[in-house]
Amino acid sequence: MPLPEPDLSALDPGFVEAIIARYAAWELNTGTVAEFLGIHYTDAQHLLGSRGLERHYTVEDLEQDLATAHRLDALRQSAKDKPA
């Protein structure tokens, strides 16, 4: 079952298409698309994927993923170190 498209009805369709075109030209990342369109990150991923655009994985994405991994590792360590 396909996911519903994010509700972009309040936005100018030309603006939405301009943002998508800038993503397609590697000028924006997924997070920036989500921010400009006022939608959740996963909705932006779905929107871009539904247009047949491949996921861009930027240095910023890598840095965010590494920071998340470090935070999760610290939480795991903290939970492991607590007495039962």
Side-chain angles (χ1 to χ4, degrees):
M1 172 177 6
L3 294 172
E5 290 288 327
D7 182 15
L8 303 174
S9 60
L11 299 175
D12 174 16
F15 175 73
V16 173
E17 293 307 316
I19 295 299
I20 292 171
R22 289 189 63 196
Y23 176 86
W26 283 81
E27 296 174 5
L28 299 176
N29 64 25
T30 308
T32 306
V33 170
E35 186 177 325
F36 275 128
L37 299 181
I39 59 178
H40 192 273
Y41 185 84
T42 56
D43 288 332
Q45 287 178 316
H46 174 68
L47 173 66
L48 297 167
S50 72
R51 301 292 182 96
L53 297 170
E54 295 181 6
R55 179 158 173 6
H56 298 176
Y57 197 75
T58 64
V59 171
E60 180 183 351
D61 293 327
L62 174 62
E63 290 169 348
Q64 290 174 355
D65 287 350
L66 289 172
T68 299
H70 289 297
R71 283 194 306 273
L72 291 173
D73 188 50
L75 285 171
R76 183 184 59 79
Q77 282 292 78
S78 174
K80 189 172 117 178
D81 294 341
K82 285 185 180 178

